[in-house]
Amino acid sequence: MNAVNDSFLSGADNGVLRLITAGSVDDGKSTLIGRLLYDSKGVFADQLDAIARAKYKRVAGDGIDFALLTDGLEAEREQGITIDVAYRYFSTPLRKFIVADAPGHEQYTRNMVTGASTADAAIILIDATRAADGRLLPQTKRHSTIARLLGIRHIVVAINKMDLVGWDRAVFERIRDAYAELARRLDIAQFHVLPLSALEGDNVVNPSARTPWYDGPPLLSLLEQLGQAEAEAAPSQPLRFPVQWVARHGGASADDFRGYAGRVASGVLRPGDEIVIQPSGVTARVQQVLAFDHEVQEAVAGDSVTVVLDRDVDVSRGDVLSHAAAPARVGREFEAELCWLDAQALNPARKYLLKHGTRLTSAKIRDVLTQRDIHELQEVDNASGALAMNEIGRVTLTTREALAVDRYADAPATGAFILIDEATHQTAAAGMLR
């Protein structure tokens, strides 16, 4: 019985897994996602008919060009490459999946950062034909570095195109050992490695008879179970509730309504909780938690609710409600890791807009401390004081207003921000607070 049918027997639901495929150009990322969609019955008949008739089909005979299921732009199909991040959705009886197909070209690294910023897991694809000698390509190193910086906890290394090297176990082990050394240098504590062929379907959804030396699960079975033990054992994160909007009506009456609407970024919010409004530091107690049309006794991360406090205090858009016992850090000076996204290089003499949660303020980069050398996998001094597009560096910055923040590794929702060029309104950089 195949892996998809097996999952019907458990009756469990492991929730939603957001994942991204990454790696170098032509490693087979789009083909792998297409194969996952096809073998898990996530493709409609009219979609298959459309790609079968596509003029850019690159598979001989009656075979299906699975890459066309994700490469939707005309330029992508014409060139046979991925340019922008494409999102696809499918599900099995055990889990729902949101898959981001990221481009492999270095010039589109910023697109990969965008897709990886919300991912729970990353599938790093490696072309077995190009890494058969154990030497990894620069984009494999770059995307692994970004996955580590973004705090993606689950790394799956898919050694693809094993059919083109005759399912040679020695090739697989050389690449596995090379990635293990890369993971050690990047401080990636745990990762999974498996051999597969995205085009042929071996070890994607069903186990392959051509890899008797591999005793692990196929890719889909691995993804269905990924992170469940951690989720069950992980302690609750501290409450972070960025205020989006102050709801006020009935101001002429004695019992007028004032509530604070937003989305719980982390933790649990309940009536009776003592909270602190940050950055002001004023404390209050939660009187009610309201959903769209009713009162609730608990709101968890991802829930959009309106909070009513037991007394009138000054709360504005951009403020963060935290539990008084576990507040965020408040300050105006921070150290952060920046991935520069703009074609115009970082200029420390300029001011940028900083978007953190629901707050928008101005910021100035004081120093560029170090820059990451992707080839040597280490931080090096930045003599120029600037960062070009797709470069990664550690900086210190100051903001006009105080912010309530956490380390990105502890709470991504309040540990991440973006920089916006004031003149062009382009997103200049993605930042992670350290």
Side-chain angles (χ1 to χ4, degrees):
M1 187 177 291
N2 66 39
V4 176
N5 290 336
D6 281 342
S7 61
F8 277 101
L9 302 177
S10 72
D13 183 357
N14 292 342
V16 178
L17 181 71
R18 294 173 174 82
L19 61 97
I20 185 170
T21 57
S24 194
V25 182
D26 291 332
D27 280 349
K29 298 179 292 297
S30 299
T31 301
L32 176 62
I33 295 178
R35 169 61 76 175
L36 271 173
L37 292 170
Y38 179 77
D39 284 358
S40 63
K41 314 303 180 186
V43 184
F44 293 110
D46 59 338
Q47 292 176 296
L48 289 175
D49 182 59
I51 64 174
R53 294 183 284 104
K55 62 180 178 180
Y56 298 123
K57 180 180 173 183
R58 287 178 165 81
V59 176
D62 296 329
I64 301 172
D65 189 347
F66 294 108
L68 296 180
L69 289 170
T70 57
D71 290 340
L73 299 176
E74 181 78 6
E76 291 179 322
R77 296 188 171 200
E78 183 179 16
Q79 299 178 57
I81 63 172
T82 301
I83 296 174
D84 202 359
V85 179
Y87 292 91
R88 292 295 180 267
Y89 311 87
F90 73 99
S91 64
T92 70
L94 276 183
R95 202 167 210 175
K96 301 177 181 67
F97 298 91
I98 302 175
V99 190
D101 180 21
H105 286 72
E106 181 178 349
Q107 72 188 92
Y108 300 127
T109 299
R110 56 185 179 177
N111 301 51
M112 183 269 176
V113 174
T114 302
S117 63
T118 57
D120 305 310
I123 303 175
I124 307 291
L125 270 84
I126 298 176
D127 184 341
T129 64
R130 293 192 288 174
D133 58 358
R135 287 185 291 183
L136 303 178
L137 296 175
Q139 275 300 78
T140 302
K141 299 178 181 179
R142 181 176 283 105
H143 285 181
S144 297
T145 301
I146 291 171
R148 175 68 181 89
L149 289 176
L150 290 174
I152 297 178
R153 298 180 184 275
H154 306 291
I155 306 292
V156 178
V157 182
I159 301 178
N160 191 26
K161 304 185 184 180
M162 285 296 297
D163 54 313
L164 299 183
V165 295
W167 298 98
D168 190 335
R169 180 177 183 176
V171 171
F172 170 79
E173 291 179 346
R174 277 197 296 271
I175 300 173
R176 179 199 62 193
D177 294 344
Y179 196 89
E181 174 60 18
L182 172 65
R184 184 190 66 78
R185 299 179 67 180
L186 291 177
D187 195 26
I188 297 174
Q190 187 178 7
F191 60 94
H192 307 269
V193 188
L194 70 160
L196 55 81
S197 169
L199 187 62
E200 301 293 333
D202 295 86
N203 286 332
V204 178
V205 170
N206 301 310
S208 173
R210 293 190 274 191
T211 54
W213 40 266
Y214 171 70
D215 58 2
L219 179 62
L220 185 60
S221 297
L222 176 62
L223 295 177
E224 285 179 329
Q225 300 298 330
L226 209 58
Q228 289 309 300
E230 285 185 16
E232 293 170 3
S236 177
Q237 288 187 317
L239 171 68
R240 299 293 183 260
F241 181 82
V243 176
Q244 296 182 7
W245 179 54
V246 179
R248 181 84 188 275
H249 60 78
S253 63
D255 58 345
D256 64 322
F257 177 86
R258 185 196 299 266
Y260 308 103
R263 186 181 185 188
V264 180
S266 65
V268 181
L269 180 66
R270 299 182 180 93
D273 286 353
E274 185 180 3
I275 56 97
V276 57
I277 297 99
Q278 296 186 287
S280 69
V282 176
T283 59
R285 197 168 290 277
V286 177
Q287 181 173 305
Q288 288 179 297
V289 180
L290 305 174
F292 174 68
D293 58 354
H294 63 284
E295 184 175 351
V296 296
Q297 296 306 307
E298 181 179 275
V300 299
D303 290 348
S304 295
V305 294
T306 298
V307 178
V308 179
L309 302 179
D310 65 344
R311 63 193 187 95
D312 289 338
V313 293
D314 181 11
V315 182
S316 304
R317 174 180 169 85
D319 288 344
V320 176
L321 307 187
S322 306
H323 281 142
R329 175 198 164 195
V330 174
R332 296 181 56 249
E333 183 173 324
F334 311 99
E335 186 174 301
E337 203 96 32
L338 287 186
C339 183
W340 200 256
L341 308 177
D342 199 356
Q344 185 170 340
L346 180 154
N347 183 352
R350 300 183 63 181
K351 285 186 178 181
Y352 294 91
L353 295 175
L354 185 146
K355 184 76 165 62
H356 174 259
T358 55
R359 185 178 292 275
L360 183 67
T361 186
S362 61
K364 185 173 176 61
I365 298 170
R366 288 180 45 201
D367 296 296
V368 180
L369 304 173
T370 59
Q371 182 178 335
R372 286 192 177 265
D373 186 317
I374 295 300
H375 300 282
E376 297 299 325
L377 300 175
Q378 61 185 6
E379 290 185 322
V380 297
D381 291 337
N382 184 297
S384 66
L387 292 173
M389 186 172 71
N390 297 325
E391 289 184 340
I392 301 168
R394 188 160 52 90
V395 306
T396 56
L397 53 86
T398 56
T399 58
R400 183 184 62 194
E401 300 172 85
L403 302 178
V405 303
D406 295 282
R407 289 194 321 141
Y408 183 85
D410 297 332
T414 46
F417 63 91
I418 61 171
L419 293 179
I420 303 167
D421 190 303
E422 280 190 315
T424 64
H425 298 286
Q426 292 283 342
T427 301
M432 293 143 281
L433 293 163
R434 298 303 180 199

